[in-house]
Amino acid sequence: RAIAGKLQLCHQLGKPVHALGVGVDRLKDPEGLCIFRRSFLPIASWSVRSEQCKRALEEMGVSADLVVVGADWTWLLDPKIDTGWAAAWLRDCGARDSDVNIGVNLVNEVWQGNHEIKSAWAALLDRLAEKHGAQVFFLCNESRAGSYFDMAAAEEVRARMRHPSVLVERRYYTPDQMMSLVSRMHATISERYHFTLFSILAGVYPVSINRG
């Protein structure tokens, strides 16, 4: 809905729109499908990051001739890692010296209000702290505020943890800044696709949770 109005204006003015390097989920909600058909079907061409994305578009009515499968453009980044800045910033956020740093990026989305999942996350992270002496860092790759997004999920899980953790300030970091922060971790646990990619590009082991 947020993008549809902008697309409609382009269509009305006869301006072609091209979707470049996008990810696509298969919509199921009737209202979402209606919005897609009205505002997104007129898009002139698509480049997507996977065969699954292409299938989703085809199932929603986009001609296969208009879709090319490429790759996520994040892989083309040549990160400039600044470990000194990252270390100083993490200290400002409350970090201490630790042999094991675990970066965590959680989402709320459809799990808002699901206390069982939040408690399970808290128990897992507490076990990492107890068994490995891990310092847990909550990072928000999606930096928007509100109950739907990452900060709210982090705060709910932190409130259930017995051990202290670090909530890295929620702000709009550049890719280089986020990868610099991630580079200070020994491993990451991620529910966000690009947090996983940033971990790999920063040379950090990611554990990825499939939320889709």
Side-chain angles (χ1 to χ4, degrees):
R1 186 183 296 112
I3 302 172
K6 300 177 177 66
L7 291 175
Q8 283 297 114
L9 179 61
C10 292
H11 302 329
Q12 291 166 9
L13 295 174
K15 303 296 183 182
V17 178
H18 302 272
L20 304 176
V22 299
V24 181
D25 292 323
R26 174 67 168 90
L27 299 175
K28 302 291 179 64
D29 177 71
E31 182 187 7
L33 283 168
C34 181
I35 294 172
F36 182 87
R37 290 174 183 134
R38 180 176 65 247
S39 302
F40 289 75
L41 274 185
I43 287 176
S45 71
W46 302 75
S47 66
V48 297
R49 64 190 182 207
S50 70
E51 292 286 350
Q52 183 177 345
C53 293
K54 182 178 181 180
R55 284 195 301 273
L57 285 175
E58 292 175 5
E59 290 171 5
M60 292 188 292
V62 176
S63 172
D65 296 339
L66 300 180
V67 186
V68 62
V69 177
D72 190 285
W73 289 7
T74 305
W75 292 113
L76 301 177
L77 287 172
D78 182 17
K80 306 298 186 292
I81 303 294
D82 187 341
T83 57
W85 170 83
W89 183 251
L90 292 174
R91 282 196 299 271
D92 288 345
C93 292
R96 56 178 170 76
D97 291 334
S98 174
D99 293 332
V100 181
N101 292 335
I102 305 293
V104 182
N105 189 177
L106 303 181
V107 304
N108 248 1
E109 300 188 355
V110 299
W111 298 282
Q112 293 179 66
N114 189 321
H115 304 302
E116 183 179 358
I117 285 180
K118 302 295 169 41
S119 296
W121 273 113
L124 166 67
L125 298 174
D126 276 332
R127 286 201 302 276
L128 290 174
E130 291 162 5
K131 187 172 182 179
H132 302 288
Q135 182 173 208
V136 175
F137 293 81
F138 289 92
L139 298 104
C140 302
N141 213 43
E142 164 57 79
S143 60
R144 283 178 284 181
S147 61
Y148 188 81
F149 297 109
D150 303 11
M151 178 63 75
E155 289 173 335
E156 290 178 48
V157 172
R158 287 186 83 215
R160 290 169 166 79
M161 291 177 63
R162 298 187 309 277
H163 294 273
S165 61
V166 178
L167 184 60
V168 179
E169 183 176 325
R170 178 185 63 82
R171 59 161 56 186
Y172 189 93
Y173 296 101
T174 67
D176 282 349
Q177 287 174 328
M178 181 57 81
M179 282 184 274
S180 295
L181 293 171
V182 170
S183 76
R184 303 295 299 174
M185 305 297 123
H186 296 92
T188 61
I189 304 174
S190 171
E191 286 189 303
R192 285 210 176 276
Y193 174 82
H194 284 102
F195 194 71
T196 295
L197 264 62
F198 285 167
S199 300
I200 295 169
L201 291 169
V204 175
Y205 293 106
V207 177
S208 297
I209 310 299
N210 184 353
R211 75 181 196 276

